[in-house]
Amino acid sequence: MKEKEFLPLVKEKLNIESLNPMQEKMLRSFSDARDIILLSPTGSGKTLAFILPVLKMLKPSTGRVQAVVIAPSRELVIQITRIMNALAAGFKVTPLYGGHKVEDEVNSLAAGTDIVVATPGRLLDHSTRRNVELLPTRILVLDEFDKSLELGFEKDMKKILERLKNVSRTILTSATRADILPDFLKLEDPLTLNFLGEGYELKTRLHTHRVDTDGKDKLNSLRVLLNDLRNKGEKNDRSIVFVNHRESADRVAEYLRQHGVPAVLYHGQLDQREREQAVALFNNGSRPVLVATDLAARGLDIEGVKSIIHYHQALTPETYTHRNGRTARVDREGDVYVLVGPEEELKPFSEIDDTYYPDYDAPEGGKPEYESIYFSAGKREKLSKGDILGFLTKECGVPGDAIGKIDVYDHYALAAVKSKEAMEAVADAKGKKIKGEKRIISLL
């Protein structure tokens, strides 16, 4: 793909008007440098920054692996794959990660693939079982490589790189700078592009507030704050509530739901489908509040988050930065709220602009604008977004402007429909066929 073709494609597929300076620099630099280390803050567009040079380097498809992208989490793999698929017309992209059906992955690899996007453990497993041949690979990307090392993937990555004998171009990305790189990376005179100091412009868009709470567990204060924000903000504004432990996430999410706040839960103990659905419900507006552990601080395919709420203060400056990086992304503004208990001290790395006093008399925020309708079929059953859109409009009488985001996964799909039409749509769908088959269609 030629460089001049990128911008129209990025505009059309991703609705991005122009590349930022970091992305432009990466595209220029990759033509000259063999290996690149890209250091840039969370939310600055690193994923697109490395995808564009990779696409530029691809040769015509042969069904053999040309590029391998390794990421530390399944969420990051899914996000990278989504963007790759949008831009890599004519090339097959295969994601490999835990929680995904191994059989589906084996079948996809057997049919040939150009780009593999994978977590280290899953890629090593497929390579060991000879489901994928890595020898033809010319381009390697290690995304968030510091996180991979932090999570203990070093041994897996070393074994994988031993099998990538023909790699001629390597990209490493990270939101933090590593003092020492592992020897097995074997980088040759890498060019380091350091954008970590480019934080001033972000600070002008990110507003950080202290919120003093009226109790140790902060639950009532959190509920009041969320109701206050929902009443004062736009109806589609979304908030992420960060906690430090899974048990706390369970407890906080349950409390909010019991008190009428449309919240959804996200942490590592949930299975893959539960995590997929949580992100989908949050993204499509069905559940505009996400209660999460720090697993959600990196890699999730989430856009347009207005508020970050630290229910528990972050334990490290890096975690604090990554949490806050979920808002004020690219050129948008965002707010951060740090809940501080009566006997709690504010962490020294928290840069606070002011103290925020939520309205304790604010009414409940009301129901979300959308509800999600579940379909018991997906990509593997040849169901597409167009099929679902057509079914809802023609068979169920839902106006087109009442249908929001549609997500199609391997074996199921979710469609956001405005709340006042969703219940009636499900009733109208009863007994009807979609693409010639009767499927389970219900409110999620």
Side-chain angles (χ1 to χ4, degrees), residues 102-160:
V102 175
E103 183 183 354
D104 289 345
E105 293 181 349
V106 171
N107 292 338
S108 184
L109 291 169
T113 191
D114 301 288
I115 304 166
V116 169
V117 185
T119 53
R122 197 58 163 245
L123 179 58
L124 180 60
D125 183 58
H126 279 293
S127 176
T128 302
R129 296 173 187 271
R130 300 192 175 181
N131 297 328
V132 60
E133 176 55 70
L134 297 177
L135 204 57
T137 305
R138 298 180 298 107
I139 308 163
L140 172 65
V141 179
L142 301 180
D143 191 27
E144 302 280 13
F145 71 89
D146 58 323
K147 191 67 174 176
S148 292
L149 300 179
E150 181 185 312
L151 292 174
F153 289 129
E154 189 163 344
K155 287 183 180 179
D156 288 349
M157 290 171 68
K158 183 177 181 181
K159 290 178 182 177
I160 292 167

Side-chain angles (χ1 to χ4, degrees), residues 107-320:
N107 292 338
S108 184
L109 291 169
T113 191
D114 301 288
I115 304 166
V116 169
V117 185
T119 53
R122 197 58 163 245
L123 179 58
L124 180 60
D125 183 58
H126 279 293
S127 176
T128 302
R129 296 173 187 271
R130 300 192 175 181
N131 297 328
V132 60
E133 176 55 70
L134 297 177
L135 204 57
T137 305
R138 298 180 298 107
I139 308 163
L140 172 65
V141 179
L142 301 180
D143 191 27
E144 302 280 13
F145 71 89
D146 58 323
K147 191 67 174 176
S148 292
L149 300 179
E150 181 185 312
L151 292 174
F153 289 129
E154 189 163 344
K155 287 183 180 179
D156 288 349
M157 290 171 68
K158 183 177 181 181
K159 290 178 182 177
I160 292 167
L161 265 65
E162 287 171 354
R163 302 176 188 199
L164 294 167
K165 298 182 184 296
N166 292 312
V167 168
S168 58
R169 311 297 292 270
T170 301
I171 299 175
L172 273 62
T173 83
S174 176
T176 57
R177 183 169 194 131
D179 295 327
I180 301 174
L181 295 175
D183 292 336
F184 64 77
L185 291 176
K186 297 178 181 177
L187 301 181
E188 290 189 11
D189 191 25
L191 171 67
T192 298
L193 301 180
N194 189 348
F195 288 83
L196 293 177
E198 310 265 321
Y200 173 76
E201 195 264 338
L202 171 63
K203 288 178 183 177
T204 65
R205 294 185 283 106
L206 187 67
H207 314 287
T208 308
H209 318 277
R210 172 182 178 137
V211 179
D212 292 311
T213 66
D214 59 357
K216 253 184 184 178
D217 66 4
K218 308 177 183 177
L219 284 172
N220 183 57
S221 297
L222 174 63
R223 178 187 63 80
V224 169
L225 175 62
L226 286 168
N227 281 334
D228 182 53
L229 296 179
R230 289 168 68 202
N231 277 288
K232 290 179 179 175
E234 300 293 327
K235 59 183 177 182
N236 293 320
D237 283 351
R238 287 173 286 158
S239 303
I240 302 179
V241 179
F242 279 107
V243 300
N244 289 341
H245 312 287
R246 294 170 181 170
E247 297 78 10
S248 301
D250 291 331
R251 183 170 62 90
V252 171
E254 182 59 27
Y255 175 89
L256 292 177
R257 286 193 288 250
Q258 287 179 355
H259 288 78
V261 178
V264 69
L265 177 67
Y266 187 92
H267 59 60
Q269 212 162 7
L270 303 176
D271 66 31
Q272 175 60 21
R273 178 173 284 207
E274 289 173 320
R275 286 156 71 172
E276 277 181 352
Q277 290 182 358
V279 174
L281 295 177
F282 182 64
N283 268 339
N284 70 20
S286 297
R287 300 292 179 270
V289 176
L290 182 73
V291 180
T293 59
D294 288 316
L295 183 64
R298 289 197 196 192
L300 282 190
D301 185 13
I302 290 173
E303 298 175 357
V305 177
K306 181 66 173 69
S307 304
I308 297 299
I309 300 172
H310 298 263
Y311 181 83
H312 292 143
Q313 291 191 63
L315 299 177
T316 66
E318 291 78 17
T319 301
Y320 180 74

Side-chain angles (χ1 to χ4, degrees), residues 321-368:
T321 298
H322 285 304
R323 286 180 178 184
N324 294 348
R326 303 311 310 179
T327 189
R329 295 173 78 85
V330 189
D331 58 354
R332 297 178 179 175
E333 295 199 358
D335 289 281
V336 172
Y337 300 87
V338 183
L339 301 189
V340 183
E343 299 176 6
E344 189 179 8
E345 290 188 9
L346 192 67
K347 298 282 187 182
F349 49 74
S350 301
E351 298 181 4
I352 302 297
D353 296 320
D354 56 43
T355 299
Y356 185 82
Y357 300 95
D359 180 4
Y360 272 73
D361 295 322
E364 290 188 4
K367 291 183 178 181

